[in-house]
Amino acid sequence: MAGTGSRLIDRRSALKGGLAAGVAMPFIARSGFAQGAGTVRIWTFMSAEGQSPREKVFKTLIDEFEAKNKVKVVVEPQPFQELETKFVAAVAQKRAPDLVWLRDTFLSLVVDRKGLADLNEVLTPDFKRDALPDMFEVFTQKSVFDGKRVSLPIWPSPAQIIFYRKDTLREIGLDAPPLAWETFTDAAAKLTKGDRIGFGLPTSDNSVSAFINIMSGFGPEIFDKTTGRLNLTGPQAIETANVVRALVAKGAVSKTLLNAMGDDIQDQFAAGRFAMAQAFAPRFQQYQKIAAGYDPKELAVSAWPSFGGRPPAVLLGPYWTVGLAATSQNKEAAAAFLESLYTPAASMRWAKDAGLIPDRRSVMKDPWFEKPEAAVTRNFYELLSGKGAFVFPQRVPDITKIFSVLNTSLQEIIGTDEKVEVILARAKTTLNW
Amino acid sequence: MNQGMRLTGRAALLAASALASVVVLGPIIWALSTSLKSDNHIFAVPPRLIPDEPTLMHFQRLVAEGVQWSFLNSAFYTVVSVAFAVAVGGTAGYALVRYPVPAKRALLVLFMGVMSIPSYALLLPTQVIFVRLGIFDTRLALPILYAAHVIPFAVWMTRAHFATVPRELEQAALVDGYSRFEAVWKVIIPGARPALIAAAAFGFLYAWNDYITATTMVESPDLRTLPVALIFFQGFHGRDWGALMAGVVIATLPPIVLFLVYRRYLIGGFSEGSVKG
Amino acid sequence: MVSVPASGTTPFTRSIEDAARAGRRVGTTLVGPAVLVVIAVNILPAFFGFYSSLRKIFFFGDEGFAGLDNFRSLFADPLTWEAIGRSLIFTFGALALAVPLALLAALAVRELGARGRILLTILLVPWAMSPIVVALLWKWILLPSPGGLFASILATFGMPPANLLSNPTWAMPTVIAVAVWRTFAFAAIILTAGLGQIPKDLYKAAAVDGLTAMERFSRITVPLLAPSILIVLSMLTISYFNEVQVIIGLTSGGPIHSTTTLAYQLYLTGFVELDQGRGNAIAVVMFLINLVLIVGYVQLLGNKKGGEG
């Protein structure tokens, strides 16, 4: 991997920065240089003033923690796509926060730049004994690099999954989408009717690739064990491309949505333009909230269809993890706050008030999860526990490029008649794989 | 016959002007309309221009999430950078006309040349330099960058203006017993008002409307600008079109108001800067 | 605002050489601050960016000197040349739309007299808006579902919702149109001023000579407006060539690269893929192209002015 032995741009910056900051003090409202001992700074995409259910739970947990400990928790929200970038830059320039939300796919890059502390050294024995084994192993394992635990997964989620409208599937006599691609494409085709399109795929996000999600139907072996790469010219990639071509040929996927971000798919789903769509699982409640073209009660979730009788696929990721900055001057307090997000009571709150899947699996035994309003959470929980669930490898090379390159390929597969082998070979060349 | 043709010509002209106005203003009115609709009305089919049950919920949400502070930040950065840029740039513009400055041509080329550097291409190196100087993520970062962007423009514009003011006017003031300072204060600056206001307005629009510089040079939420704060409503849960359009309305009002108040100078200043430049 | 020599004596009361020397000193003092700020904030980072373009930097990790590797791989990549081509299409496409529109607007403003000022003011409103806000706004208007404004307008003409931003043929014209929507009126101001400079007597004389409106336009308006048109062309060329926010906001360079201009390629490489060495190399290439365009226009302007004496 690229990072070993690499020199970070700004090693001496903190010193010089500190000097200059002294001169410019009156103008500095607040910045990374003012880390008080009793303050924990957090970078996340949530805001402490935020109005979404998740942000409200977060605020409650912060308030409780502050009341119990003499520590101030300062939340500095950042745009969610920029968290990892800004964090790495900040670590290099010695102005990083104590805790940071990171996507799992970026962990190796941040680890290589020595951005994250080893949580094994700061987590309490109680937490290691009780909490860690109670979390989803597939996630906790991924955060361990060379014996160092560099982050804790938060809000386990199936990430990119299929949302569908039960009302539309009833029209063709089904309860749920078929879970094998051969039958799925036909069903999706039948769901296309009038203005409505059977299946919606995002094709232009920087961190989402529908191509990889479809390919995940071949199971974890799509990623090469040693290199972490996808075999883009192998039979599985070609079969994946052929499925997309079939979806287009049968009218299940529209050529008019060649350049759709997940947000676009969401907007159009709200307007009733899709029967099924690839969606970001944590947005389930949001999809219900903005539903205008259909009854929100009809919204449901499904795993991805698979190839060759394999178990239905759930590619877990990108998902959120929380890391402790290597540069943190306040590791104890930061770790204490981090632990407070994973108590059974906190897990219950994330689940009950914000509709998230509890980090602590034992919480699922709570009778509340039997209630109808918890049906979706149960559903997600089953997807996570299913046989076809797996994560991106720890190190996927060129993770910052792979999504945009494969989205271009997907656009070409959907929008042109070029041979899929040629399209995929070009992607391989672009990535230099 | 001729008279009739002129009348139809005039009618066609008015119709075309009206159509152009609709194309220009329509989108902005649509944003206003969306910002006043509740979530489940926003995607309603067919869309309605006048909201059924207008609501201020999106504006309230902006306030609940503290967007007004970002608004004030934007205002602060804008005012500071514009004042600085117009003062420094105007002075330079004046000196370039009135004094035998060494390497004048080279300086003019420099000012013209930097206007062509895509400022966002400089963001990566600028960030590193700012961190070293300790001004990254402070209240100084954006005013400095905005001012530096506006100064060449202010120079260019005021230079063009001063070139048209006869030197004799100032000399007359001096002969009348004014000190050089008084001459500047009482004769030159008032005379240069259109050019100064035009430069200031350009600076205002640039600083107020910037997004890319602000998102790379400032990280603390309490230093954030309005366009950056808005982008958060296109965030983790998808686009909140109601809040986004409320933000569009709020972000667009100040420049439009300013523009309407100063349009005479703006239009005059720009045309002067170009025609006589 | 202006620093004044302490003596209070003025240059023209002294001997000529003294005056020249004092003048140079004062002039340098007055121009100094502007030059310093511009050099510190623009030129220094530019050099630092050029230095970075010669290094292998990925995700803030500097992995050492790379010579011209970044440039070599950049020019070996067919996508770079396509991006340059699309930058030119975007730039000149936008010019081809904006300049005639601006000219029409300026003529209309002149014809309408007092009402013309109102028209110009209205047309200028989008220019006061933030590019990123404009992109958001148009994304919302072009929403290709039945609830979208554009889709509904199409529907009233019995047409199905068109997804312009997802169409490889239409995406580029659409982003061009949005960029022009925001900026064309700026050109109209300058052309309005240019028209104002043309003596009315010329038109009267031409009318007496029996020239038609078309002839008056081609023989008087166009030649006398040429300097203004050149200024408009030069300012808009630079602005369009570097336009990136509208593309980020509307198409993310797609579909199938159809709106990936060089400016967007820079954004993608440097800020999304975080290949910062290569990103800086693209910035250097862009700067050079900008320079060529500017020098070209300055030459043209110079010739024009010289030619007319």
Side-chain angles (χ1 to χ4, degrees):
Chain A
M1 191 58 221
T4 45
S6 75
R7 191 174 63 83
L8 292 164
I9 294 180
D10 296 285
R11 201 147 278 175
R12 286 165 302 169
S13 58
L15 241 173
K16 291 185 183 169
L19 275 175
V23 178
M25 214 52 199
F27 298 100
I28 298 176
R30 190 180 75 216
S31 75
F33 308 114
Q35 281 183 2
T39 306
V40 172
R41 285 170 59 227
I42 301 176
W43 281 6
T44 171
F45 59 87
M46 295 178 290
S47 151
E49 288 85 42
Q51 302 296 304
S52 73
R54 186 196 308 245
E55 286 168 312
K56 285 181 182 161
V57 173
F58 189 49
K59 176 83 173 108
T60 315
L61 294 175
I62 290 173
D63 290 345
E64 284 178 5
F65 180 80
E66 285 183 332
K68 260 188 245 159
N69 304 276
K70 278 212 153 100
V71 173
K72 182 144 182 50
V73 177
V74 178
V75 181
E76 300 173 9
Q78 308 294 339
F80 75 97
Q81 317 90 321
E82 296 171 19
L83 274 161
E84 299 87 1
T85 323
K86 286 196 161 167
F87 180 70
V88 168
V91 167
Q93 298 162 349
K94 300 272 195 304
R95 49 180 176 77
D98 300 292
L99 291 173
V100 63
W101 260 243
L102 307 158
R103 283 167 287 184
D104 66 313
T105 38
F106 278 85
L107 279 176
S108 65
L109 286 177
V110 182
V111 168
D112 288 343
R113 275 143 192 78
K114 309 201 178 357
L116 296 169
D118 182 2
L119 290 172
N120 286 328
E121 291 169 9
V122 283
L123 292 174
T124 60
D126 286 1
F127 188 85
K128 287 184 200 166
R129 190 188 59 233
D130 301 333
L132 275 180
D134 195 19
M135 293 158 76
F136 282 90
E137 203 189 346
V138 63
F139 294 122
T140 50
Q141 274 313 306
K142 183 163 177 191
S143 289
V144 178
F145 283 74
D146 303 324
K148 289 182 183 154
R149 185 171 299 282
V150 299
S151 70
L152 289 179
I154 192 161
W155 318 312
S157 153
Q160 297 291 321
I161 203 79
I162 295 174
F163 285 5
Y164 64 94
R165 282 166 51 188
K166 287 185 272 187
D167 56 332
T168 60
L169 280 144
R170 272 198 301 276
E171 288 172 18
I172 60 165
L174 291 176
D175 295 328
L179 290 167
W181 279 110
E182 303 84 65
T183 39
F184 182 93
T185 46
D186 288 326
K190 275 189 229 158
L191 289 170
T192 300
K193 203 174 111 189
D195 271 351
R196 194 184 68 205
I197 299 162
F199 193 34
L201 288 174
T203 51
S204 93
D205 290 280
N206 288 330
S207 58
V208 174
S209 165
F211 187 87
I212 299 181
N213 281 108
I214 296 173
M215 200 170 164
S216 71
F218 285 107
E221 67 263 31
I222 58 171
F223 295 104
D224 186 280
K225 283 246 165 11
T226 48
T227 62
R229 291 173 180 169
L230 295 162
N231 184 357
L232 288 177
T233 44
Q236 295 179 342
I238 290 167
E239 179 63 24
T240 302
N242 286 334
V243 161
V244 176
R245 278 272 159 90
L247 284 165
V248 176
K250 292 175 183 174
V253 163
S254 169
K255 279 191 187 199
T256 63
L257 290 159
L258 208 48
N259 195 17
M261 297 173 86
D263 288 351
D264 298 321
I265 298 290
Q266 179 172 339
D267 290 342
Q268 303 228 15
F269 199 98
R273 269 206 90 195
F274 293 119
M276 304 185 288
Q278 169 174 347
F280 188 37
R283 290 186 179 176
F284 191 83
Q285 288 179 321
Q286 181 73 9
Y287 267 70
Q288 286 181 317
K289 194 177 134 203
I290 60 173
Y294 66 100
D295 181 354
K297 288 197 199 76
E298 300 285 0
L299 189 66
V301 293
S302 162
W304 287 85
S306 65
F307 293 97
R310 290 179 178 81
V314 181
L315 178 58
L316 308 171
Y319 60 84
W320 290 108
T321 75
V322 189
L324 172 61
T327 48
S328 168
Q329 299 299 305
N330 208 9
K331 293 202 173 78
E332 305 295 316
F337 177 70
L338 182 57
E339 288 188 7
S340 79
L341 301 177
Y342 296 89
T343 63
S347 278
M348 201 58 218
R349 249 206 199 104
W350 291 121
K352 239 174 157 170
D353 297 347
L356 298 158
I357 303 153
D359 296 284
R360 301 287 292 263
R361 285 179 295 166
S362 57
V363 165
M364 285 299 291
K365 296 193 189 91
D366 191 286
W368 181 79
F369 290 97
E370 303 302 321
K371 293 189 175 177
E373 65 255 42
V376 178
T377 313
R378 265 197 330 267
N379 223 328
F380 279 135
Y381 185 83
E382 282 155 23
L383 290 174
L384 285 178
S385 318
K387 276 195 187 130
F390 65 99
V391 292
F392 279 88
Q394 265 192 338
R395 291 176 186 279
V396 180
D398 299 300
I399 192 72
T400 57
K401 295 180 187 169
I402 182 169
F403 295 108
S404 65
V405 170
L406 287 182
N407 279 328
T408 299
S409 300
L410 184 62
Q411 293 171 2
E412 287 166 338
I413 294 167
I414 296 174
T416 71
D417 297 324
E418 202 176 2
K419 286 186 67 153
V420 295
E421 288 82 358
V422 179
I423 292 170
L424 291 168
R426 191 162 51 233
K428 193 175 170 172
T429 314
T430 308
L431 284 165
N432 219 349
W433 279 6
Chain B
M1 183 64 205
N2 204 357
Q3 191 80 4
M5 259 174 72
R6 283 188 67 165
L7 271 177
T8 41
R10 189 134 186 104
L13 184 62
L14 279 174
S17 302
L19 181 69
S21 303
V22 168
V23 171
V24 162
L25 295 184
I28 299 164
I29 292 166
W30 179 237
L32 181 65
S33 162
T34 303
S35 74
L36 296 172
K37 291 175 187 167
S38 61
D39 279 332
N40 47 352
H41 281 90
I42 281 178
F43 288 104
V45 183
R48 304 184 65 111
L49 189 60
I50 312 286
D52 284 336
E53 305 151 30
T55 167
L56 289 175
M57 61 182 275
H58 301 298
F59 292 92
Q60 282 158 355
R61 174 153 179 234
L62 293 187
V63 172
E65 303 215 357
V67 168
Q68 71 273 25
W69 301 116
S70 306
F71 184 97
L72 288 178
N73 282 338
S74 276
F76 171 80
Y77 299 141
T78 304
V79 169
V80 171
S81 60
V82 166
F84 182 72
V86 171
V88 169
T91 311
Y94 177 73
L96 284 171
V97 174
R98 286 291 183 270
Y99 291 91
V101 179
K104 196 179 267 189
R105 255 218 98 68
L107 289 180
L108 286 175
V109 171
L110 170 79
F111 286 126
M112 185 84 185
V114 294
M115 281 198 261
S116 74
I117 302 179
S119 54
Y120 81 106
L122 293 180
L123 288 178
L124 282 173
T126 303
Q127 193 191 39
V128 173
I129 293 171
F130 268 34
V131 168
R132 291 192 180 177
L133 296 175
I135 37 184
F136 179 83
D137 198 28
T138 67
R139 274 198 198 286
L140 274 181
L142 294 177
I144 291 177
L145 291 174
Y146 293 157
H149 186 91
V150 178
I151 283 173
F153 198 84
V155 171
W156 204 251
M157 209 160 237
T158 51
R159 195 192 71 99
H161 167 82
F162 289 124
T164 64
V165 179
R167 188 185 283 260
E168 290 72 29
L169 211 67
E170 286 165 45
Q171 287 172 351
L174 289 168
V175 170
D176 281 353
Y178 281 137
S179 73
R180 185 95 196 175
F181 180 76
E182 282 174 313
V184 166
W185 192 247
K186 294 192 176 156
V187 180
I188 301 175
I189 293 182
R193 240 175 90 158
L196 292 176
I197 289 179
F202 171 84
F204 179 96
L205 293 182
Y206 176 77
W208 182 267
N209 289 335
D210 164 75
Y211 167 74
I212 287 196
T213 311
T215 189
T216 24
M217 293 302 156
V218 158
E219 271 159 8
S220 308
D222 44 1
L223 299 180
R224 204 161 269 161
T225 68
L226 187 55
V228 178
L230 284 190
I231 293 306
F232 274 82
F233 294 96
Q234 181 174 251
F236 190 64
H237 293 281
R239 300 196 192 94
D240 185 336
W241 283 115
L244 280 170
M245 289 305 126
V248 166
V249 170
I250 287 176
T252 303
L253 270 181
I256 289 186
V257 168
L258 172 114
F259 168 73
L260 289 179
V261 172
Y262 288 109
R263 66 177 187 282
R264 203 155 52 86
Y265 294 106
L266 250 176
I267 295 173
F270 275 105
S271 39
E272 191 173 63
S274 59
V275 173
K276 293 159 191 167
Chain C
M1 170 173 159
V2 177
S3 67
V4 179
S7 63
T9 50
T10 47
F12 55 89
T13 58
R14 296 211 195 145
S15 78
I16 293 170
E17 298 114 66
D18 271 4
R21 209 173 302 129
R24 268 200 299 278
R25 203 167 52 234
V26 176
T28 311
T29 316
L30 296 184
V31 177
V35 175
L36 284 181
V37 173
V38 165
I39 288 181
V41 180
N42 291 300
I43 306 294
L44 289 185
F47 276 108
F48 194 67
F50 177 67
Y51 165 80
S52 305
S53 73
L54 301 175
R55 305 187 69 86
K56 183 164 169 53
I57 308 175
F58 175 70
F59 209 93
F60 301 99
D62 189 334
E63 294 160 27
F65 189 67
L68 293 174
D69 283 359
N70 287 323
F71 291 94
R72 233 173 267 135
S73 83
L74 197 61
F75 289 122
D77 188 346
L79 287 177
T80 308
W81 295 102
E82 289 171 25
I84 292 175
R86 278 187 290 262
S87 278
L88 297 177
I89 292 174
F90 181 92
T91 306
F92 293 102
L95 284 177
L97 188 59
V99 175
L101 274 180
L103 187 55
L104 281 178
L107 290 171
V109 166
R110 185 176 67 178
E111 288 303 310
L112 287 172
R115 267 178 294 190
R117 292 213 150 256
I118 300 173
L119 176 66
L120 187 58
T121 306
I122 291 174
L123 296 185
L124 272 167
V125 166
W127 178 58
M129 294 174 76
S130 166
I132 194 85
V133 164
V134 166
L136 267 177
L137 177 55
W138 279 95
K139 182 113 190 168
W140 172 231
I141 288 166
L142 295 173
L143 195 78
S145 60
L149 182 64
F150 181 68
S152 317
I153 292 170
L154 288 183
T156 53
F157 294 103
M159 284 187 270
N163 194 351
L164 298 177
L165 301 174
S166 263
N167 185 312
T169 313
W170 281 101
M172 181 62 102
T174 308
V175 290
I176 288 176
V178 172
V180 168
W181 180 81
R182 193 180 82 80
T183 47
F184 86 94
F186 171 68
I189 307 183
I190 293 172
L191 295 182
T192 303
L195 284 178
Q197 303 268 312
I198 301 176
K200 293 226 165 47
D201 298 350
L202 280 180
Y203 289 103
K204 282 184 193 149
V208 171
D209 286 351
L211 265 69
T212 65
M214 233 11 249
E215 285 168 329
R216 288 201 296 266
F217 178 74
S218 64
R219 292 200 201 163
I220 301 174
T221 310
V222 170
L224 288 182
L225 205 54
S228 299
I229 291 177
L230 259 180
I231 286 168
V232 162
L233 281 175
S234 64
M235 290 177 114
L236 288 183
T237 303
I238 303 301
S239 144
Y240 290 146
F241 187 77
N242 296 310
E243 175 63 62
V244 70
Q245 304 199 57
V246 166
I247 296 174
I248 294 175
L250 287 179
T251 61
S252 311
I256 319 182
H257 293 313
S258 59
T259 53
T260 300
T261 60
L262 199 57
Y264 184 79
Q265 190 74 51
L266 166 57
Y267 167 79
L268 184 72
T269 309
F271 293 90
V272 178
E273 300 181 346
L274 300 163
D275 193 340
Q276 290 143 341
R278 188 181 165 113
N280 275 307
I282 300 177
V284 170
V285 173
M286 281 192 68
F287 173 70
L288 292 177
I289 297 178
N290 270 313
L291 208 62
V292 169
L293 289 172
I294 289 204
V295 169
Y297 277 117
V298 168
Q299 288 291 333
L300 269 176
L301 269 172
N303 287 345
K304 201 81 205 168
K305 281 193 175 155
E308 282 161 16

